[in-house]
Amino acid sequence: MADIALHGPELLKLVALAKKRDMNFAYCPGNDPAEDVFVLDRKKNPEILGRSARGEGSGTKICFGTAKVKGKVMLLTCERELPQTAKKLKKFLKFEGIAMNIVVMDIEGNIL
């Protein structure tokens, strides 16, 4: 399987692109931020990204949906949520050198 996890400059590039348009995402948290798998993609279905992230990551649970960046805030509209997604993803992004706040919403737009 190809390495789909984003790290470093590729992650920064796609986060910048998420400022202009909605991007599909999948997140599979591991035991620590180095093991997390976060994927942003323009075209692939979020559910397919989630399955790929689960296969590549060390964790068993996934979160997927669409992501939009406004300033220093990433808005995640989740089709499938996880507990403490915002906290874990913020920790992962900080580990990768991207300082950003995370807001997690359900499919109707209610903040979780």
Side-chain angles (χ1 to χ4, degrees), residues 79-102:
E79 295 176 23
R80 183 173 185 179
E81 311 93 18
L82 286 176
Q84 297 187 342
T85 301
K87 182 179 178 181
K88 291 177 183 179
L89 187 57
K90 184 174 182 173
K91 197 175 209 179
F92 169 74
L93 290 174
K94 188 175 180 182
F95 176 77
E96 290 293 330
I98 301 172
M100 190 161 290
N101 288 328
I102 308 295

mmCIF file of all heavy atoms in Angstrom, residues 79-102:
data_model
loop_
_atom_site.group_PDB
_atom_site.id
_atom_site.type_symbol
_atom_site.label_atom_id
_atom_site.label_comp_id
_atom_site.label_asym_id
_atom_site.label_seq_id
_atom_site.Cartn_x
_atom_site.Cartn_y
_atom_site.Cartn_z
ATOM 1 N N GLU A 79 -18.423 13.140 9.111
ATOM 2 C CA GLU A 79 -19.446 12.140 8.849
ATOM 3 C C GLU A 79 -19.388 11.071 9.935
ATOM 4 O O GLU A 79 -20.380 10.445 10.256
ATOM 5 C CB GLU A 79 -19.226 11.498 7.477
ATOM 6 C CG GLU A 79 -19.385 12.463 6.329
ATOM 7 C CD GLU A 79 -19.066 11.847 4.994
ATOM 8 O OE1 GLU A 79 -19.133 10.605 4.866
ATOM 9 O OE2 GLU A 79 -18.741 12.612 4.073
ATOM 10 N N ARG A 80 -18.194 10.863 10.463
ATOM 11 C CA ARG A 80 -17.973 9.926 11.570
ATOM 12 C C ARG A 80 -17.011 10.590 12.547
ATOM 13 O O ARG A 80 -15.922 10.987 12.158
ATOM 14 C CB ARG A 80 -17.386 8.633 11.031
ATOM 15 C CG ARG A 80 -17.193 7.589 12.069
ATOM 16 C CD ARG A 80 -16.769 6.304 11.417
ATOM 17 N NE ARG A 80 -16.695 5.259 12.413
ATOM 18 C CZ ARG A 80 -16.373 4.024 12.126
ATOM 19 N NH1 ARG A 80 -16.103 3.680 10.903
ATOM 20 N NH2 ARG A 80 -16.311 3.130 13.078
ATOM 21 N N GLU A 81 -17.424 10.739 13.805
ATOM 22 C CA GLU A 81 -16.623 11.443 14.802
ATOM 23 C C GLU A 81 -15.937 10.475 15.756
ATOM 24 O O GLU A 81 -16.329 9.324 15.872
ATOM 25 C CB GLU A 81 -17.485 12.396 15.647
ATOM 26 C CG GLU A 81 -18.387 13.304 14.892
ATOM 27 C CD GLU A 81 -19.779 12.732 14.713
ATOM 28 O OE1 GLU A 81 -20.167 11.807 15.441
ATOM 29 O OE2 GLU A 81 -20.475 13.199 13.814
ATOM 30 N N LEU A 82 -14.927 11.012 16.432
ATOM 31 C CA LEU A 82 -14.237 10.302 17.507
ATOM 32 C C LEU A 82 -14.212 11.204 18.731
ATOM 33 O O LEU A 82 -14.189 12.425 18.604
ATOM 34 C CB LEU A 82 -12.787 10.007 17.122
ATOM 35 C CG LEU A 82 -12.524 8.913 16.117
ATOM 36 C CD1 LEU A 82 -11.042 8.855 15.810
ATOM 37 C CD2 LEU A 82 -12.972 7.587 16.659
ATOM 38 N N PRO A 83 -14.169 10.634 19.919
ATOM 39 C CA PRO A 83 -14.000 11.464 21.108
ATOM 40 C C PRO A 83 -12.617 12.122 21.092
ATOM 41 O O PRO A 83 -11.633 11.498 20.697
ATOM 42 C CB PRO A 83 -14.120 10.483 22.274
ATOM 43 C CG PRO A 83 -14.506 9.177 21.698
ATOM 44 C CD PRO A 83 -14.366 9.237 20.227
ATOM 45 N N GLN A 84 -12.563 13.354 21.492
ATOM 46 C CA GLN A 84 -11.326 14.138 21.601
ATOM 47 C C GLN A 84 -10.587 14.287 20.267
ATOM 48 O O GLN A 84 -9.373 14.389 20.239
ATOM 49 C CB GLN A 84 -10.401 13.550 22.655
ATOM 50 C CG GLN A 84 -10.964 13.577 24.046
ATOM 51 C CD GLN A 84 -9.960 13.140 25.084
ATOM 52 O OE1 GLN A 84 -8.949 12.505 24.765
ATOM 53 N NE2 GLN A 84 -10.218 13.485 26.328
ATOM 54 N N THR A 85 -11.317 14.327 19.169
ATOM 55 C CA THR A 85 -10.685 14.495 17.856
ATOM 56 C C THR A 85 -9.935 15.815 17.788
ATOM 57 O O THR A 85 -8.801 15.871 17.310
ATOM 58 C CB THR A 85 -11.738 14.441 16.735
ATOM 59 O OG1 THR A 85 -12.407 13.197 16.799
ATOM 60 C CG2 THR A 85 -11.098 14.605 15.375
ATOM 61 N N ALA A 86 -10.565 16.884 18.269
ATOM 62 C CA ALA A 86 -9.941 18.209 18.185
ATOM 63 C C ALA A 86 -8.622 18.245 18.953
ATOM 64 O O ALA A 86 -7.609 18.742 18.449
ATOM 65 C CB ALA A 86 -10.899 19.273 18.713
ATOM 66 N N LYS A 87 -8.629 17.702 20.147
ATOM 67 C CA LYS A 87 -7.430 17.716 20.989
ATOM 68 C C LYS A 87 -6.300 16.900 20.360
ATOM 69 O O LYS A 87 -5.152 17.357 20.284
ATOM 70 C CB LYS A 87 -7.774 17.164 22.370
ATOM 71 C CG LYS A 87 -6.630 17.170 23.344
ATOM 72 C CD LYS A 87 -7.077 16.619 24.679
ATOM 73 C CE LYS A 87 -5.925 16.582 25.652
ATOM 74 N NZ LYS A 87 -6.328 16.033 26.955
ATOM 75 N N LYS A 88 -6.618 15.714 19.870
ATOM 76 C CA LYS A 88 -5.595 14.845 19.293
ATOM 77 C C LYS A 88 -5.056 15.398 17.976
ATOM 78 O O LYS A 88 -3.853 15.350 17.724
ATOM 79 C CB LYS A 88 -6.169 13.443 19.064
ATOM 80 C CG LYS A 88 -6.457 12.706 20.352
ATOM 81 C CD LYS A 88 -7.098 11.365 20.087
ATOM 82 C CE LYS A 88 -7.445 10.656 21.374
ATOM 83 N NZ LYS A 88 -8.085 9.362 21.139
ATOM 84 N N LEU A 89 -5.952 15.929 17.133
ATOM 85 C CA LEU A 89 -5.505 16.479 15.850
ATOM 86 C C LEU A 89 -4.684 17.746 16.050
ATOM 87 O O LEU A 89 -3.697 17.963 15.343
ATOM 88 C CB LEU A 89 -6.695 16.748 14.934
ATOM 89 C CG LEU A 89 -6.364 17.167 13.518
ATOM 90 C CD1 LEU A 89 -5.483 16.144 12.819
ATOM 91 C CD2 LEU A 89 -7.639 17.378 12.723
ATOM 92 N N LYS A 90 -5.061 18.567 17.017
ATOM 93 C CA LYS A 90 -4.282 19.771 17.316
ATOM 94 C C LYS A 90 -2.870 19.386 17.772
ATOM 95 O O LYS A 90 -1.885 20.008 17.368
ATOM 96 C CB LYS A 90 -4.988 20.602 18.394
ATOM 97 C CG LYS A 90 -4.289 21.904 18.695
ATOM 98 C CD LYS A 90 -5.090 22.750 19.648
ATOM 99 C CE LYS A 90 -4.372 24.067 19.897
ATOM 100 N NZ LYS A 90 -5.177 24.990 20.680
ATOM 101 N N LYS A 91 -2.776 18.353 18.589
ATOM 102 C CA LYS A 91 -1.479 17.867 19.056
ATOM 103 C C LYS A 91 -0.637 17.355 17.883
ATOM 104 O O LYS A 91 0.564 17.615 17.803
ATOM 105 C CB LYS A 91 -1.703 16.756 20.083
ATOM 106 C CG LYS A 91 -0.528 16.434 20.933
ATOM 107 C CD LYS A 91 -0.951 15.397 21.972
ATOM 108 C CE LYS A 91 -0.140 15.546 23.213
ATOM 109 N NZ LYS A 91 -0.519 14.587 24.242
ATOM 110 N N PHE A 92 -1.285 16.631 16.934
ATOM 111 C CA PHE A 92 -0.579 16.129 15.754
ATOM 112 C C PHE A 92 -0.080 17.282 14.884
ATOM 113 O O PHE A 92 1.074 17.281 14.435
ATOM 114 C CB PHE A 92 -1.495 15.218 14.941
ATOM 115 C CG PHE A 92 -0.945 14.871 13.590
ATOM 116 C CD1 PHE A 92 0.105 13.972 13.467
ATOM 117 C CD2 PHE A 92 -1.452 15.445 12.445
ATOM 118 C CE1 PHE A 92 0.629 13.655 12.231
ATOM 119 C CE2 PHE A 92 -0.943 15.140 11.206
ATOM 120 C CZ PHE A 92 0.105 14.243 11.099
ATOM 121 N N LEU A 93 -0.935 18.275 14.628
ATOM 122 C CA LEU A 93 -0.529 19.407 13.796
ATOM 123 C C LEU A 93 0.597 20.204 14.450
ATOM 124 O O LEU A 93 1.507 20.675 13.780
ATOM 125 C CB LEU A 93 -1.724 20.307 13.492
ATOM 126 C CG LEU A 93 -2.767 19.714 12.548
ATOM 127 C CD1 LEU A 93 -3.970 20.633 12.441
ATOM 128 C CD2 LEU A 93 -2.181 19.434 11.184
ATOM 129 N N LYS A 94 0.560 20.345 15.776
ATOM 130 C CA LYS A 94 1.634 21.026 16.483
ATOM 131 C C LYS A 94 2.929 20.232 16.353
ATOM 132 O O LYS A 94 4.004 20.805 16.174
ATOM 133 C CB LYS A 94 1.268 21.207 17.955
ATOM 134 C CG LYS A 94 2.238 22.057 18.721
ATOM 135 C CD LYS A 94 1.759 22.303 20.134
ATOM 136 C CE LYS A 94 2.757 23.160 20.875
ATOM 137 N NZ LYS A 94 2.348 23.389 22.256
ATOM 138 N N PHE A 95 2.845 18.911 16.418
ATOM 139 C CA PHE A 95 4.003 18.036 16.228
ATOM 140 C C PHE A 95 4.606 18.234 14.836
ATOM 141 O O PHE A 95 5.814 18.179 14.654
ATOM 142 C CB PHE A 95 3.577 16.580 16.432
ATOM 143 C CG PHE A 95 4.645 15.571 16.164
ATOM 144 C CD1 PHE A 95 5.656 15.352 17.091
ATOM 145 C CD2 PHE A 95 4.662 14.848 14.985
ATOM 146 C CE1 PHE A 95 6.644 14.413 16.850
ATOM 147 C CE2 PHE A 95 5.646 13.908 14.737
ATOM 148 C CZ PHE A 95 6.642 13.693 15.666
ATOM 149 N N GLU A 96 3.752 18.494 13.835
ATOM 150 C CA GLU A 96 4.201 18.711 12.457
ATOM 151 C C GLU A 96 4.618 20.159 12.191
ATOM 152 O O GLU A 96 5.041 20.490 11.091
ATOM 153 C CB GLU A 96 3.101 18.319 11.472
ATOM 154 C CG GLU A 96 2.848 16.838 11.405
ATOM 155 C CD GLU A 96 4.003 16.060 10.822
ATOM 156 O OE1 GLU A 96 4.746 16.602 9.984
ATOM 157 O OE2 GLU A 96 4.183 14.895 11.213
ATOM 158 N N GLY A 97 4.456 21.042 13.176
ATOM 159 C CA GLY A 97 4.891 22.433 13.025
ATOM 160 C C GLY A 97 3.827 23.363 12.483
ATOM 161 O O GLY A 97 4.145 24.434 11.965
ATOM 162 N N ILE A 98 2.567 22.991 12.593
ATOM 163 C CA ILE A 98 1.467 23.838 12.127
ATOM 164 C C ILE A 98 0.615 24.196 13.329
ATOM 165 O O ILE A 98 -0.042 23.333 13.910
ATOM 166 C CB ILE A 98 0.613 23.098 11.071
ATOM 167 C CG1 ILE A 98 1.483 22.704 9.882
ATOM 168 C CG2 ILE A 98 -0.550 23.968 10.623
ATOM 169 C CD1 ILE A 98 0.779 21.814 8.886
ATOM 170 N N ALA A 99 0.633 25.472 13.708
ATOM 171 C CA ALA A 99 -0.157 25.934 14.846
ATOM 172 C C ALA A 99 -1.559 26.278 14.360
ATOM 173 O O ALA A 99 -1.744 27.199 13.570
ATOM 174 C CB ALA A 99 0.492 27.151 15.481
ATOM 175 N N MET A 100 -2.543 25.513 14.806
ATOM 176 C CA MET A 100 -3.902 25.705 14.324
ATOM 177 C C MET A 100 -4.894 25.214 15.358
ATOM 178 O O MET A 100 -4.659 24.215 16.032
ATOM 179 C CB MET A 100 -4.083 24.919 13.021
ATOM 180 C CG MET A 100 -5.343 25.213 12.296
ATOM 181 S SD MET A 100 -5.237 24.708 10.581
ATOM 182 C CE MET A 100 -4.096 25.909 9.958
ATOM 183 N N ASN A 101 -6.012 25.944 15.502
ATOM 184 C CA ASN A 101 -7.101 25.495 16.359
ATOM 185 C C ASN A 101 -8.032 24.610 15.541
ATOM 186 O O ASN A 101 -8.176 24.796 14.334
ATOM 187 C CB ASN A 101 -7.879 26.682 16.918
ATOM 188 C CG ASN A 101 -7.085 27.424 17.969
ATOM 189 O OD1 ASN A 101 -6.299 26.827 18.688
ATOM 190 N ND2 ASN A 101 -7.292 28.730 18.050
ATOM 191 N N ILE A 102 -8.699 23.682 16.199
ATOM 192 C CA ILE A 102 -9.574 22.731 15.527
ATOM 193 C C ILE A 102 -10.989 22.871 16.084
ATOM 194 O O ILE A 102 -11.182 22.913 17.295
ATOM 195 C CB ILE A 102 -9.095 21.274 15.762
ATOM 196 C CG1 ILE A 102 -7.623 21.105 15.417
ATOM 197 C CG2 ILE A 102 -9.962 20.294 14.993
ATOM 198 C CD1 ILE A 102 -7.267 21.294 13.986
#
